[in-house]
Amino acid sequence: MLSTFRRGHRSRGQSLVEFALVLPFLMLLLLIVVDFGRAYMGWIQLNNAARVAANYAGQNPSAAFGPGSDYATLVTNDTAGANCTMPANPPAPTFPAGTTLGAQAQVNLTCSFSLLVSAFPGFGQLLPNPFTLSATAY
């Protein structure tokens, strides 16, 4: 019996079986890393869009901020690649100190982000899907 298990001799197919057992865990780990990267990129783009929108609102406090306005187009274009679903009409900015030219404008943006890892059984109950990303800029 010992002579068949010589040093350096391996059973054929054992590494393939071990790889097949570890593969679901590796795929899950890969999806978690990809989801984290996608969510982080979406959060950065959402913050940048909020900053641009607050800058525009501060420079144009008397502009229209409703659907179809330059403001709505600006926010929609800036959040186009954010990997998350924005509301149809972006929220209008608020002006805590009044609507004078150069006054501080506050913009709050939110979007719904869907996870890839929720395709694995059990993760739909552990993680909210979709979850909300938000950004505020002044």
Side-chain angles (χ1 to χ4, degrees):
M1 182 78 174
L2 290 176
S3 63
T4 59
F5 294 108
R6 292 174 296 197
R7 185 176 180 152
H9 181 264
R10 300 172 94 192
S11 299
R12 292 184 181 239
Q14 180 179 350
S15 61
L16 184 61
V17 171
E18 290 173 356
F19 178 70
L21 291 173
V22 175
L23 186 62
F25 176 72
L26 293 175
M27 291 298 296
L28 177 65
L29 190 61
L30 177 68
L31 282 178
I32 289 171
V33 168
V34 168
D35 271 346
F36 178 76
R38 288 178 58 236
Y40 186 66
M41 184 189 74
W43 180 75
I44 287 173
Q45 281 190 297
L46 197 62
N47 274 299
N48 288 339
R51 283 189 201 109
V52 168
N55 187 30
Y56 176 83
Q59 292 176 355
N60 304 298
S62 60
F65 298 108
S69 65
D70 289 340
Y71 170 81
T73 303
L74 180 74
V75 172
T76 303
N77 289 342
D78 279 355
T79 58
N83 287 329
C84 60
T85 306
M86 294 287 297
N89 299 318
T94 57
F95 298 92
T99 58
T100 60
L101 183 61
Q104 185 179 29
Q106 179 180 352
V107 175
N108 298 317
L109 297 177
T110 60
C111 67
S112 298
F113 185 81
S114 297
L115 297 171
L116 298 174
V117 76
S118 64
F120 275 84
F123 276 89
Q125 292 80 23
L126 292 175
L127 301 171
N129 192 30
F131 69 93
T132 302
L133 293 176
S134 62
T136 301
Y138 296 95

